[in-house]
Amino acid sequence: MAHFRPVEEQLVMLMRGVEFGDETTRANMENELRERLVESERTGRPLRVYCGFDPTASDLHLGHTVPMRKLAQFQELGHEAVFLIGSFTALIGDPSDKSSARRQLTDEEVREHARTFTDQAWKLLDPERTTVLYNGDWLSRLSFKDVIGLAANFTVQQFLVRDNFSQRFDRGDPIWLHEFFYALMQGYDAVATRTDIQIGGTDQLFNLIAGRKLMESFGLKPQTMLTFPILVGTDGTLRMSKTTGNHIGINDQPEVMFGKVMSIPDYAMRNYADLVTRWSPASIAHLFDDMERGAIHPRDAKMKLAFEIVDIFHGASAAEAAQEHFRTVFQQRELPSEMPEYTISAATNIIDVLTQNNLCATRSEARRLIQQGGVKLDGEKVDNVEMQVECAEIQVLQVGRRKFLRLKPA
């Protein structure tokens, strides 16, 4: 029989960061989790805990790591972690946080994206203690009769009261029938995996509740739900997503990762500190109290945050090198901490970059400034009007003494 830490000790650790936006739901889920932990201790059976990740892009980003860190905590406590790759659900795309329908992916795109997921997951999860599953293994086998049976557990009204669907309905925007199926499929994942606990973002609550409903209809004990806040992207407003270009990939080079963290607005720092770092709640509160009373400059607090995040994924040596790179390239040249940003996805002519971002009013003005030495890229003068700008890491384009543009890799 497995031996676990005391139930209350596990409970405090596992409930940290849980958020539902409703205290009654939180209290109910905490009680359910306690009961499951007591039963696990009594029987010696580890809890089966899963979180699903749709391979809608090839890279995992920091937003994905929020639930992954909780999976890792369950592992540390001796429970079974299931890393579920949504090889079938990705074909539709989760509409939970979307104000319009997602573009449907092809089988080939999903397979290509999924290949890289597990290798990246091992940055946080123990591969020896993680079960990797693909929901295409069971969802692709459902018959049309099976799908009708799943759909019979829900009403159209239950879907239409969701914020994203109700807003689209009020605007007269299309709501495609296949989008309703996503919650059914994710709910059936809970049935197929016979999970004890499912982890997800707060935007996933409806889908997790669907899982409870379907498990009950199949005669299974409904899963306990643990949901967590959404990590905002580098813009500080929208949720982190590769689609919107505001993501920080966990495979980003250390210098790129450090620079991206330094680019987030000051008001978004607490969101990152709470959801991504290994810092204790007390140390986080102390840091932001110091910043509030002026004992530490926001830039220096952000440097600590960037170092911590790079350290998690690349180690202390890489974090130190990335920090030194940032100081050399940015701080020592006294660049402003806040500046417009532009994402470079392919080689782009320097003239186009300057005019498209209103750094120069006309193409002729851009050429003249370059010829006069008034344009710099990372502190080096640009002297070729035909130069193609490529961006493997964050760079700063400067025009004259007061115009700056942060270039970011796609």
Side-chain angles (χ1 to χ4, degrees):
M1 288 178 61
H3 295 283
F4 304 101
R5 295 187 198 178
V7 168
E8 291 304 317
E9 182 181 329
Q10 292 189 67
L11 193 66
V12 169
M13 182 176 178
L14 295 173
M15 288 299 295
R16 177 188 167 188
V18 171
E19 182 178 300
F20 291 99
D22 174 68
E23 283 304 313
T24 300
T25 303
R26 192 184 197 284
N28 290 340
M29 290 301 103
E30 183 173 358
N31 288 334
E32 281 194 17
L33 179 58
R34 179 183 286 107
E35 291 172 3
R36 288 185 185 274
L37 292 170
V38 169
E39 180 68 10
S40 176
E41 182 181 57
R42 185 183 67 80
T43 62
R45 181 184 74 84
L47 296 177
R48 187 171 174 84
V49 188
Y50 102 90
C51 187
F53 301 88
D54 282 354
T56 52
S58 58
D59 299 318
L60 294 173
H61 54 64
L62 293 188
H64 293 118
T65 70
V66 177
M68 286 173 63
R69 287 176 66 81
K70 191 58 63 174
L71 272 184
Q73 285 184 353
F74 273 100
Q75 280 188 328
E76 292 166 15
L77 294 172
H79 301 290
E80 180 187 358
V82 176
F83 185 81
L84 177 64
I85 296 179
S87 55
F88 199 87
T89 42
L91 295 174
I92 289 182
D94 185 6
S96 296
D97 66 322
K98 298 298 178 185
S99 58
S100 60
R102 285 179 181 264
R103 181 183 74 84
Q104 289 181 258
L105 301 180
T106 65
D107 287 321
E108 292 73 21
E109 287 174 313
V110 170
R111 281 196 296 269
E112 183 61 32
H113 293 165
R115 287 192 186 99
T116 65
F117 264 37
T118 51
D119 288 342
Q120 295 172 67
W122 306 149
K123 288 179 178 286
L124 291 172
L125 300 175
D126 181 350
E128 299 299 322
R129 298 160 57 193
T130 304
T131 300
V132 179
L133 299 175
Y134 297 80
N135 65 11
D137 290 345
W138 51 81
L139 290 175
S140 63
R141 297 172 186 166
L142 293 178
S143 68
F144 197 48
K145 181 180 179 181
D146 294 329
V147 175
I148 292 173
L150 298 179
N153 290 280
F154 304 92
T155 67
V156 171
Q157 287 88 340
Q158 287 174 305
F159 285 84
L160 289 181
V161 296
R162 299 181 67 182
D163 284 344
N164 57 330
F165 286 147
S166 64
Q167 290 168 10
R168 287 159 63 183
F169 185 80
D170 290 342
R171 294 195 305 265
D173 293 343
I175 302 172
W176 302 101
L177 189 59
H178 73 269
E179 294 182 89
F180 285 2
F181 295 161
Y182 189 93
L184 304 184
M185 294 191 297
Q186 185 173 324
Y188 189 74
D189 287 345
V191 174
T193 58
R194 293 180 176 266
T195 186
D196 295 305
I197 299 164
Q198 184 179 356
I199 295 169
T202 51
D203 62 316
Q204 293 290 306
L205 186 57
F206 183 91
N207 298 338
L208 271 61
I209 292 173
R212 285 173 64 88
K213 176 70 174 176
L214 290 180
M215 290 185 81
E216 196 171 22
S217 73
F218 277 84
L220 302 172
K221 184 177 181 179
Q223 63 180 358
T224 298
M225 310 175 297
L226 298 180
T227 60
F228 299 88
I230 301 301
L231 184 71
V232 298
T234 51
D235 60 336
T237 303
L238 301 175
R239 68 172 293 160
M240 185 172 288
S241 167
K242 189 167 185 179
T243 304
T244 54
N246 65 353
H247 69 292
I248 302 175
I250 66 173
N251 268 353
D252 280 349
Q253 291 300 309
E255 294 83 4
V256 174
M257 183 178 286
F258 197 98
K260 285 183 177 181
V261 176
M262 292 301 297
S263 75
I264 67 174
D266 291 349
Y267 62 80
M269 289 167 57
R270 185 64 184 258
N271 182 244
Y272 280 69
D274 286 336
L275 299 181
V276 181
T277 72
R278 300 165 295 189
W279 297 339
S280 69
S283 62
I284 292 172
H286 181 70
L287 175 65
F288 284 90
D289 284 345
D290 282 350
M291 195 171 74
E292 182 71 22
R293 61 188 179 86
I296 182 173
H297 192 282
R299 180 196 59 242
D300 296 327
K302 201 179 296 182
M303 292 279 282
K304 290 178 179 289
L305 179 64
F307 188 99
E308 163 68 4
I309 292 174
V310 176
D311 187 6
I312 290 171
F313 296 99
H314 295 285
S317 296
E320 289 171 2
Q323 181 173 258
E324 185 58 31
H325 172 84
F326 183 84
R327 284 175 172 157
T328 300
V329 174
F330 294 91
Q331 285 191 318
Q332 292 179 12
R333 290 177 184 160
E334 298 181 349
L335 300 178
S337 57
E338 301 291 336
M339 65 181 77
E341 296 183 346
Y342 182 65
T343 300
I344 300 287
S345 57
T348 308
N349 181 265
I350 185 66
I351 301 291
D352 292 330
V353 175
L354 293 170
T355 54
Q356 289 173 12
N357 290 279
N358 298 316
L359 296 176
C360 295
T362 64
R363 298 179 67 84
S364 59
E365 180 189 356
R367 292 191 187 91
R368 177 175 54 79
L369 282 172
I370 291 173
Q371 292 164 352
Q372 293 175 349
V375 178
K376 295 180 181 179
L377 183 62
D378 274 353
E380 299 294 329
K381 288 184 179 180
V382 176
D383 55 12
N384 180 7
V385 295
E386 301 299 330
M387 176 183 174
Q388 295 294 306
V389 180
E390 297 181 279
C391 196
E393 61 182 45
I394 289 179
Q395 299 172 289
V396 172
L397 186 63
Q398 180 178 354
V399 178
R401 303 178 73 176
R402 297 186 179 182
K403 292 183 180 180
F404 299 88
L405 179 69
R406 182 178 287 113
L407 305 179
K408 297 168 55 179

